[in-house]
Amino acid sequence: MSQLQSLRGMVDLLPEALQRWQVVESFAREHFRRSGFGEIRTPLLETTDLFCRGIGEGTDVVGKEMYSFTDRGDRACTLRPEGTASVVRASLQHGLLSQGAQKLWYAGPMFRYERPQAGRQRQFHQIGVEWLGAESARSDVEVIALAWDLLASLGVGGLELELNSLGSAEDRQAYRTALVTWLEQRVDQLDGDSRARLSSNPLRILDSKNIDIQALLDQAPTLADALSPESRLRFEAVQQGLTALGIPYRLNPRLVRGLDYYSHTAFEITSDQLGAQATVCGGGRYDGLIAQLGGAATPAIGWAVGMERLLLVLEAATKADPNGAAARLVGTSAPDAYVVNRGEQAETMALGLARALRAAGLTVELDGSGSAFGKQFKRADRSGARWALVLGDEEADRGQVRLKPLLGQGDEGTWAVAEIAAIVDMLRTP
RNA sequence: GCGGGCGUCGCCAAGUGGUUAAGGCAGCGGCUUGUGGCGCCGCUAUUCGGGGGUUCGAAUCCCCUCGCUCGCCCCA
């Protein structure tokens, strides 16, 4: 390919698509504000070490998906593959946690070097929340509800909340040992992937998509059985809380999230509209992470929504129900007025008029082509504007503008260009 | 990283070895040198993602490469 083009998996967002993005982003921003979460923005570039220590050396993300390089000062840098580690780092660096618990949200691009496919890009965007210092089971419920409500308010249907508990660090360690022991006796029945994970990340074998492996695992010791009584009580409290809020969920004892830092509650919200990459939102509790990154032991929980996937689901919902809530999110972008103008003096006046009307809050499209009136009216019509404002030599000489309604067949009228307030009134009347 | 499918104008798309690469939409111009929504007319790919090769001759066959796509892996 000789023409310049974006890097593989790096996608341009064009104005049409961005309209939907902005609706979703402003929905989210408002949702978080009402819920008491403050925004945080952290650098896209961090030390490689942050992610190695935070996410875990044995994970696929750190092992093979990071965009890492050394900068001119010989520092090992990585484009962030996820948001949590950065948020924790920033909170520690600025002593935020000494002021008590922090409820934070963020939005922005993340980078993972993977083979692109439906719902998966190398640069993608997440909106996420992190509640640092959240201890109770009730906080799990609130955070999950925060995600559920955001998606619901956008009109996304067909979602499923999957829930599991990984137990405490000790529970997890004990189970890991038990599972490895059990699987090692059946190595001959494992596929290549699972064998490799046996040493690197055995819990991940649980959510293998290989049917034979799943059948084998039916006989294996379960994570649920390995939970301590405390962990089990905690998990039950989370479930009761969700039930009390009327949020439906499905227990998935094989849900194991890929990053090492998760403990206790783990969840995903999936859509049946997405193909293989079905997870729209993923999150969970990470009680050990903050201590691991050098802070005082602090429990925390958070989640992230994949913007691209959310938009895909929204588009599917719009297609399925053109009058539904999702469809209504994107309003028309037709201008209030389209300025038809031609002639030296008229064009100067037209620009001034457009500027004044825009300052008054109207959306005004100014034709800059200087082409024949017929052409300009054609474009005015296509723009969907309710009014055409006409400025030619005749009008310019008299200091007037002609207002022509484009929707009905009302009469045109002429107005003095200087009387902006009167014109604004006219354009605003339905 | 592994496997399958695909790549013709901004978008959709015909063409599967033989002179000039259909058509539709959009765009631009004209009919209409100051008035739109309809209509009619015209223009817009020396070139078929890129590079090699086979052939008298290739968009059509082969190889390499890039990209897209679906699945695996993994996750948002």
Side-chain angles (χ1 to χ4, degrees):
Chain A
M1 185 45 99
S2 56
Q3 216 191 27
L4 248 30
Q5 61 180 301
S6 61
L7 246 18
R8 175 164 220 203
M10 305 283 176
V11 176
D12 295 313
L13 290 168
L14 304 178
E16 197 196 355
L18 246 8
Q19 287 188 349
R20 287 188 292 277
W21 276 66
Q22 286 171 350
V23 171
V24 171
E25 284 168 354
S26 57
F27 246 74
R29 188 172 294 121
E30 182 57 17
H31 186 60
F32 295 141
R33 191 191 62 75
R34 286 196 299 257
S35 306
F37 281 70
E39 185 180 2
I40 183 167
R41 299 191 190 186
T42 64
L44 271 52
L45 207 53
E46 297 272 5
T47 60
T48 299
D49 190 43
L50 170 64
F51 301 114
C52 291
R53 283 169 58 192
I55 299 172
E57 299 275 8
T59 63
D60 282 348
V61 169
V62 170
K64 56 185 198 191
E65 295 174 3
M66 294 206 300
Y67 273 93
S68 298
F69 59 94
T70 53
D71 70 7
R72 288 166 189 275
D74 239 16
R75 285 170 282 256
C77 305
T78 293
L79 245 19
R80 63 181 187 193
E82 57 101 48
T84 304
S86 300
V87 169
V88 169
R89 191 227 83 228
S91 299
L92 293 175
Q93 184 172 335
H94 300 286
L96 260 35
L97 292 171
S98 60
Q99 302 164 38
Q102 294 291 315
K103 294 161 109 175
L104 302 166
W105 71 271
Y106 62 86
M110 307 293 166
F111 303 83
R112 291 184 200 172
Y113 194 91
E114 296 182 272
R115 183 97 172 246
Q117 71 182 69
R120 190 169 80 188
Q121 299 165 187
R122 288 184 171 180
Q123 175 176 335
F124 61 103
H125 300 259
Q126 290 185 331
I127 292 186
V129 304
E130 312 293 351
W131 185 351
L132 313 182
E135 171 127 55
S136 66
R138 191 180 305 280
S139 62
D140 297 38
V141 175
E142 181 176 347
V143 163
I144 293 172
L146 193 68
W148 186 259
D149 292 343
L150 174 63
L151 298 173
S153 70
L154 287 165
V156 183
L159 296 181
E160 185 161 59
L161 170 61
E162 294 183 34
L163 195 64
N164 194 22
S165 172
L166 306 174
S168 64
E170 297 74 43
D171 296 340
R172 193 170 164 170
Q173 187 52 48
Y175 176 65
R176 180 185 160 122
T177 306
L179 181 66
V180 169
T181 305
W182 191 87
L183 287 172
E184 273 173 345
Q185 291 159 5
R186 294 161 182 81
V187 191
D188 51 312
Q189 297 177 58
L190 295 179
D191 60 11
D193 280 335
S194 300
R195 260 178 235 189
R197 284 195 206 129
L198 208 46
S199 53
S200 65
N201 206 339
L203 291 198
R204 291 225 55 89
I205 298 173
L206 288 182
D207 60 5
S208 166
K209 283 181 188 166
N210 185 325
I211 311 167
D212 296 333
I213 301 295
Q214 285 300 330
L216 177 64
L217 287 168
D218 284 339
Q219 321 298 323
T222 68
L223 189 49
D225 289 338
L227 295 188
S228 67
E230 297 76 35
S231 296
R232 196 164 307 172
L233 274 174
R234 187 175 201 297
F235 189 34
E236 280 164 13
V238 171
Q239 294 174 55
Q240 281 159 15
L242 289 170
T243 303
L245 294 183
I247 295 176
Y249 60 88
R250 186 170 68 81
L251 291 181
N252 177 357
R254 307 244 168 105
L255 174 64
V256 180
R257 300 190 41 75
L259 314 185
D260 277 355
Y261 52 59
Y262 287 112
S263 55
H264 291 292
T265 306
F267 67 95
E268 287 188 6
I269 299 175
T270 59
S271 164
D272 52 8
Q273 302 289 314
L274 285 177
Q277 310 301 325
T279 305
V280 178
C281 173
R285 176 160 283 282
Y286 47 96
D287 291 347
L289 178 63
I290 296 173
Q292 197 175 320
L293 292 180
T298 309
I301 183 168
W303 51 253
V305 162
M307 272 298 277
E308 283 82 0
R309 291 183 189 176
L310 175 55
L311 269 304
L312 286 173
V313 173
L314 241 25
E315 270 162 47
T318 304
K319 226 171 252 175
D321 180 8
N323 298 312
R328 282 197 297 272
L329 288 179
V330 184
T332 59
S333 58
D336 297 309
Y338 189 100
V339 184
V340 170
N341 62 112
R342 186 164 157 84
E344 185 81 19
Q345 202 194 343
E347 284 169 19
T348 303
M349 284 176 61
L351 178 52
L353 177 62
R355 212 157 77 103
L357 294 175
R358 287 167 183 161
L362 291 166
T363 305
V364 179
E365 186 71 38
L366 179 67
D367 194 304
S369 69
S371 49
F373 280 88
K375 291 295 166 195
Q376 294 198 42
F377 275 103
K378 206 164 268 185
R379 283 192 282 265
D381 187 60
R382 285 194 189 168
S383 78
R386 294 174 55 228
W387 292 90
L389 308 192
V390 190
L391 262 158
D393 292 333
E394 292 173 19
E395 290 80 8
D397 286 341
R398 297 183 198 142
Q400 291 181 329
V401 59
R402 212 174 272 277
L403 304 207
K404 178 186 172 71
L406 291 173
L407 300 183
Q409 45 257 77
D411 296 325
E412 338 186 342
T414 51
W415 300 77
V417 170
E419 301 202 28
I420 296 299
I423 297 174
V424 169
D425 278 349
M426 189 65 197
L427 296 179
R428 283 216 170 109
T429 42

